[in-house]
Amino acid sequence: MQTRNLGHNGPMVSTLGLGCMGMSAFYGRHDDAESITTIHYALDRGLTLLDTADMYGPHTNEVLVGKAIKGRREQAFIATKFGIVRDPDNPQARGVNGRPEYVRAACDASLQRLGIDTIDLYYQHRVDPGVPIEETVGAMAELVAAGKVRHLGLSEASGATLERACKVHPIAALQSEFSLWTRDPQTNGMLAACRKLGVSLVAYSPLGRGFLTGAIRSPDDFEADDYRRGSPRFMGDNFTRNLQLVEQVKTLAADKGCSPAQLALAWVLAQGRDVLAIPGTRKRSRLDENLGALDVQLSAAELKTIDAAFPPDAAAGDRYATSMMHMVNV
Ligand SMILES: NC(=O)c1ccc[n+]([C@@H]2O[C@H](COP(=O)([O-])OP(=O)(O)OC[C@H]3O[C@@H](n4cnc5c(N)ncnc54)[C@H](OP(=O)(O)O)[C@@H]3O)[C@@H](O)[C@H]2O)c1
């Protein structure tokens, strides 16, 4: 398994991790037994980085990951997140909480659900604009001192926030959406800040929430409660226009002799050795396909062609609904 450092001189983790979110939330029906088999298979193949969060489910995804790593703790590098607070009465609503007492309670709850003594990488899922980042990261640093957490991360934090956070405690990773149709980290200063500060960029939704694989042809492919039905890029005219982008991925992939999913992942990984990706899948066959991206090397000329086909504003529609866009790049 190919590995990359997390942060400058940080721990080595598998270059491709496994996003576990869809095993419990947002993307339709799930089957815990199949998901656990997939996680076991990932560990068998040498993939170490497993990505979850307390808000996936909520809570059930951490329990699932905890079950899957029972007896195999040393093979896994567990990344989880706190800070997005869900309203049980309104599944669409999202709050953020970065207060120190919340950070401490959230960590204890995650440790318990995961059934582990130490979280390898603990992310603040979204920056809380009402709490200075120094206070939140200060509380996270105390968790490191207490042995409850090994490394710290932020998700969707701006470059300026990352810089302030790094003054309190080293940050190993910044997680952000990053893919052929979401190139924000390259245009909003996030990737540049990561490079300046020695922080790895962990790309989430690197397959465009499945869209870039070509497997989704119509909004009717989604189950009734699938989160993507309410996500701007998957709605109405945007969906139709974005299908044209998928056609380009397919053509580029055919030219390269790989699958669209592999091309999308290879592009992310080609952005630098300080970039990792955590594609999500519930299925072993797709995990195999995605891991095949590690063998796809894109030349400078191929990257230029892909960049030209996917300028930063290529996608139709925002990557989140308006109510959630204000929570990114904070
Ligand atoms: N920090 C954050 O705010 C944040 C936000 C979103 C996600 N994440 C993390 O990032 C991880 C990955 O992101 P994501 O799951 O949103 O999106 P993604 O990895 O871009 O795509 C996942 C979707 O693609 C499908 N898929 C995977 N491999 C495929 C293949 N080879 N061919 C066809 N379809 C394929 C999956 O379906 P099947 O399961 O049916 O294969 C799933 O519906 C999540 O699991 C989560 O851990 C973090």
Side-chain angles (χ1 to χ4, degrees), residues 143-317:
L143 298 174
V144 177
K148 295 181 179 185
V149 165
R150 289 199 175 89
H151 303 278
L152 301 186
L154 301 179
S155 176
E156 295 289 4
S158 67
T161 299
L162 180 66
E163 187 145 12
R164 282 169 58 193
C166 286
K167 288 187 179 138
V168 179
H169 190 277
I171 302 293
L174 178 68
Q175 188 171 131
S176 175
E177 184 166 349
F178 187 37
S179 69
L180 282 174
W181 77 349
T182 299
R183 298 186 57 175
D184 307 24
Q186 292 173 318
T187 57
N188 64 15
M190 222 182 244
L191 187 54
C194 283
R195 291 199 163 136
K196 178 179 160 197
L197 298 160
V199 176
S200 291
L201 183 76
V202 174
Y204 79 72
S205 301
L207 298 169
R209 300 184 185 267
F211 199 72
L212 298 169
T213 68
I216 301 164
R217 303 304 299 164
S218 151
D220 295 333
D221 290 347
F222 298 133
E223 289 168 42
D225 62 348
D226 193 304
Y227 157 87
R228 291 168 288 194
R229 279 185 181 269
S231 185
R233 290 185 179 172
F234 295 90
M235 295 167 77
D237 287 349
N238 288 344
F239 190 104
T240 314
R241 282 169 56 198
N242 288 329
L243 273 182
Q244 291 163 18
L245 287 179
V246 174
E247 289 310 311
Q248 300 206 55
V249 188
K250 283 183 174 173
T251 305
L252 292 160
D255 290 348
K256 186 65 184 168
C258 65
S259 74
Q262 289 170 340
L263 185 101
L265 294 173
W267 178 85
V268 172
L269 297 179
Q271 302 312 306
R273 281 197 58 80
D274 50 359
V275 179
L276 299 92
I278 49 168
T281 183
R282 298 165 289 194
K283 302 182 181 76
R284 278 167 288 169
S285 58
R286 286 179 167 174
L287 180 68
D288 270 332
E289 179 185 342
N290 297 345
L291 287 173
L294 294 168
D295 300 320
V296 178
Q297 301 301 326
L298 297 168
S299 68
E302 287 165 337
L303 285 169
K304 211 170 156 193
T305 306
I306 298 171
D307 281 347
F310 286 87
D313 56 354

Side-chain angles (χ1 to χ4, degrees), residues 36-176:
I36 288 175
T37 308
T38 300
I39 293 175
H40 287 168
Y41 182 67
L43 296 175
D44 290 343
R45 287 215 49 188
L47 182 153
T48 57
L49 177 57
L50 300 179
D51 190 83
T52 179
D54 59 6
M55 66 84 81
Y56 301 159
H59 307 317
T60 50
N61 194 236
E62 287 187 329
V63 174
L64 177 88
V65 170
K67 272 189 200 157
I69 59 164
K70 210 164 187 273
R72 307 184 66 162
R73 172 68 185 99
E74 71 294 342
Q75 289 174 267
F77 188 94
I78 302 295
T80 191
K81 320 180 193 79
F82 72 91
I84 297 184
V85 185
R86 294 180 70 183
D87 176 352
D89 298 326
N90 180 0
Q92 313 322 328
R94 303 276 186 276
V96 288
N97 194 337
R99 287 196 294 276
E101 63 277 16
Y102 181 83
V103 176
R104 289 189 283 272
C107 179
D108 285 343
S110 286
L111 285 168
Q112 196 181 23
R113 283 189 290 269
L114 287 158
I116 58 180
D117 299 324
T118 311
I119 294 164
D120 296 306
L121 174 60
Y122 200 38
Y123 291 102
Q124 182 184 24
H125 210 155
R126 290 290 182 274
V127 173
D128 183 345
V131 179
I133 192 69
E134 290 79 2
E135 283 182 26
T136 305
V137 174
M140 294 168 75
E142 285 170 17
L143 298 174
V144 177
K148 295 181 179 185
V149 165
R150 289 199 175 89
H151 303 278
L152 301 186
L154 301 179
S155 176
E156 295 289 4
S158 67
T161 299
L162 180 66
E163 187 145 12
R164 282 169 58 193
C166 286
K167 288 187 179 138
V168 179
H169 190 277
I171 302 293
L174 178 68
Q175 188 171 131
S176 175

